[in-house]
Amino acid sequence: MAEHDTIEGGGPTTENTRRCSTVVGLHWGDEGKGKLVDLLAKEHDAVVRFNGGANAGHSIQIGDERFALHLMPSGVLHPGKRLVIGNGVVVDPEQLLAEIDGLGARNVDTSGLVVSSRAHVVLPYHKDEDGLREAMLQGRAESAKQKQGEIGTTRRGIGPSYAEKTNRSLAVRVGDLLRPEVLREKVAASCEIRHAMFAEFASTDGVPAEALDAEAITERMLAAGQRLRDRITDTVYLLHEMVQRGQRLLFEGANATLLDVDHGTFPFVTSSSTCALGIGPGTGVPPTCLDRVIGVMKAYCTRVGAGPFPTELENATGDAIRERGREYGTTTGRPRRVGWLDLVATRYAAMVNGCTGLAVTMLDVLSGFDELLVCTEYEIDGVKTDRFPADAEALRSVRPIYTRMDGFSGDLSLARSVGELPARARAYLELIEQHAGVPVDIVSVGPERAQTIGL
């Protein structure tokens, strides 16, 4: 790993020569994408969310102030930036307005925010359906004493909204919030269908089904639409016009690669394309515009919710890492599962995303351990492999093979260049580069902007 300069309050100076970059998570989320987007936003003209919804939780810390973002693009703390919620996002209008109001109360300018008229809407019944499905699956798994239970969703209605999008006929898009009759008709039909569905859930699983008031939901959504009216636009044309003017776009992924609906640990995944491959369909901007793909990864692994996790630490070491790293969900507050770094998964995710560089976060959390283990191979049915099986059942059967490394010590949060890191910490980063096949460009040694080493 080469010597790098500190990023102070903005992105790398080399970004000036690039058109479009993206920041994507390489594991199961919570890698620190929000901090990286905030750092890199300075050298871009727009920050663009291309997938997911309010299930995302991006945290940014500036001094003593911490900002938790869910739908708002993480470039919002840079005044004057265009903030774009693309067509691939599912938008909870009331959650978005709550974020706008909350940021406004903290004197954060959100005037640059626009929302795609083609983005789909998360409605109250989507959240109800999400919760009912999870409860039913959990109960089924417990009664059958089987592993295949709830997915572990945030119950924010993301999956049902994406399913409605695929089903097409009754799906509500953001543009429909400005069409009262169209919205009223779609919501009424959806409520009628779901009333019967929810009643069935209740009869089989003891979950109380509440009546769905189509008119009340419609009025709430129309009110939200009026507040968002001036922000709703065709973002596909907007982004292409920016590219044609030579302006720089930074794409922000929600969730992470191993939660991708196609390339993650199915079925324990989210409902959208979370990796760099989702930028095209999620924004309308083709991959030929993309120059830099930064894969963000922690120095260890975490996972929230259900699903296989080969390197999970269910012991005192895992507990210590969780407490040091404050590993509790930004969106749900749930304690995250913690494990050693899995470089088989990292290499796979870097390959799928076409990463040009890596950002390693939370390196400071590992300081003080006498020994660190890193998974560098799997064993499946007695055969060693460096390939990651992106399938939950296959992944359950793997046995991680570890490389043991001497630990490092000291307060890494004070380091402002690679040369200031302990030699063993640098060796840890070199092992990551060796197995991922991608250079480490950025290292985070604390939550604040200044606690970042990068090109």
Side-chain angles (χ1 to χ4, degrees):
M1 181 180 175
E3 183 79 23
H4 300 324
D5 296 326
T6 304
I7 301 176
E8 296 184 354
T13 55
T14 51
E15 285 296 292
N16 292 329
T17 62
R18 294 189 168 97
R19 288 183 298 168
C20 300
S21 302
T22 187
V23 171
V24 292
L26 295 187
H27 294 141
W28 286 282
D30 311 305
E31 297 94 346
K33 296 181 291 298
K35 176 183 177 178
L36 265 294
V37 172
D38 171 66
L39 285 168
L40 296 168
K42 182 179 180 181
E43 302 299 334
H44 292 81
D45 298 290
V47 177
V48 188
R49 269 283 302 273
F50 64 85
N51 78 293
N55 58 337
H58 292 176
S59 299
I60 302 169
Q61 186 163 329
I62 302 174
D64 294 331
E65 285 199 275
R66 182 174 179 271
F67 298 84
L69 307 175
H70 301 282
L71 280 164
M72 183 69 67
S74 298
V76 68
L77 301 180
H78 294 269
K81 299 298 178 185
R82 175 63 77 186
L83 309 168
V84 180
I85 295 177
N87 59 273
V89 179
V90 288
V91 178
D92 179 338
E94 294 174 327
Q95 169 67 40
L96 179 58
L97 287 168
E99 286 192 52
I100 292 170
D101 292 342
L103 289 166
R106 299 173 72 176
N107 297 315
V108 176
D109 178 19
T110 63
S111 61
L113 177 69
V114 293
V115 185
S116 172
S117 58
R118 308 183 196 184
H120 283 249
V121 176
V122 176
L123 291 137
Y125 46 73
H126 291 138
K127 299 177 197 177
D128 291 339
E129 181 180 340
D130 207 358
L132 286 167
R133 284 181 179 275
E134 283 290 277
M136 183 186 71
L137 288 170
Q138 183 180 35
R140 177 177 177 273
E142 289 173 354
S143 63
K145 296 182 179 179
Q146 61 185 25
K147 296 178 181 178
Q148 192 79 7
E150 60 177 335
I151 299 299
T153 78
T154 59
R155 306 191 182 204
R156 296 295 180 100
I158 307 304
S161 181
Y162 275 115
E164 193 105 84
K165 174 180 179 177
T166 304
N167 286 335
R168 302 179 303 283
S169 58
L170 298 181
V172 174
R173 302 210 289 186
V174 169
D176 293 332
L177 300 181
L178 306 178
R179 303 182 184 106
E181 293 310 313
V182 171
L183 180 64
R184 185 167 281 106
E185 182 179 344
K186 288 184 176 182
V187 170
S190 290
C191 284
E192 183 178 348
I193 291 171
R194 280 178 172 79
H195 186 74
M197 181 193 304
F198 291 177
E200 179 62 23
F201 280 157
S203 67
T204 57
D205 290 275
V207 179
E210 297 181 0
L212 294 166
D213 189 333
E215 188 58 29
I217 292 172
T218 300
E219 291 305 316
R220 283 168 56 186
M221 293 300 107
L222 288 173
Q226 286 306 306
R227 288 195 60 194
L228 293 170
R229 173 180 288 276
D230 292 341
R231 301 180 186 270
I232 298 172
T233 190
D234 188 332
T235 58
V236 174
Y237 275 101
L238 171 69
L239 294 173
H240 276 269
E241 288 165 1
M242 294 187 75
V243 170
Q244 290 165 7
R245 290 195 297 267
Q247 293 180 289
R248 297 181 297 277
L249 310 181
L250 177 60
F251 297 99
E252 177 180 14
N255 314 117
T257 301
L258 300 185
L259 295 176
D260 186 279
V261 69
D262 290 300
H263 302 290
T265 53
F266 194 88
F268 298 97
V269 294
T270 192
S271 302
S272 63
S273 184
T274 61
C275 63
L277 300 174
I279 292 172
T283 66
V285 178
T288 50
C289 293
L290 197 62
D291 299 298
R292 190 184 193 195
V293 179
I294 302 171
V296 189
M297 54 179 287
K298 286 177 182 172
Y300 50 92
C301 285
T302 62
R303 180 166 195 166
V304 173
F309 185 0
T311 65
E312 185 169 10
L313 288 166
E314 298 181 277
N315 56 24
T317 300
D319 293 341
I321 294 173
R322 181 181 299 107
E323 293 307 313
R324 291 185 190 184
R326 294 177 292 180
E327 294 295 353
Y328 296 89
T330 303
T331 300
T332 64
R334 290 183 292 184
R336 296 172 185 143
R337 299 158 64 190
V338 174
W340 292 121
L341 179 59
D342 187 337
L343 288 180
V344 178
T346 303
R347 182 181 181 88
Y348 165 77
M351 174 187 72
V352 169
N353 283 287
C355 287
T356 59
L358 303 178
V360 179
T361 66
M362 313 293 276
L363 184 63
D364 54 301
V365 174
L366 293 184
S367 181
F369 288 99
D370 293 333
E371 182 180 61
L372 300 173
L373 274 61
V374 180
C375 175
T376 50
E377 286 184 294
Y378 289 162
E379 183 180 293
I380 304 176
D381 297 328
V383 179
K384 291 183 179 180
T385 181
D386 64 356
R387 293 195 172 191
F388 181 82
D391 174 88
E393 290 306 311
L395 194 60
R396 289 187 201 281
S397 66
V398 309
R399 183 178 73 85
I401 298 174
Y402 290 107
T403 294
R404 296 178 179 273
M405 303 188 69
D406 290 333
F408 47 86
S409 60
D411 186 359
L412 272 63
S413 67
L414 301 176
R416 295 296 180 266
S417 69
V418 172
E420 295 177 20
L421 294 173
R424 290 174 180 173
R426 296 198 300 270
Y428 193 82
L429 297 174
E430 289 165 2
L431 183 73
I432 293 172
E433 290 184 327
Q434 175 189 339
H435 283 270
V438 181
V440 174
D441 288 345
I442 300 170
V443 181
S444 176
V445 291
E448 296 186 17
R449 281 175 173 172
Q451 293 175 310
T452 311
I453 302 164
L455 283 175

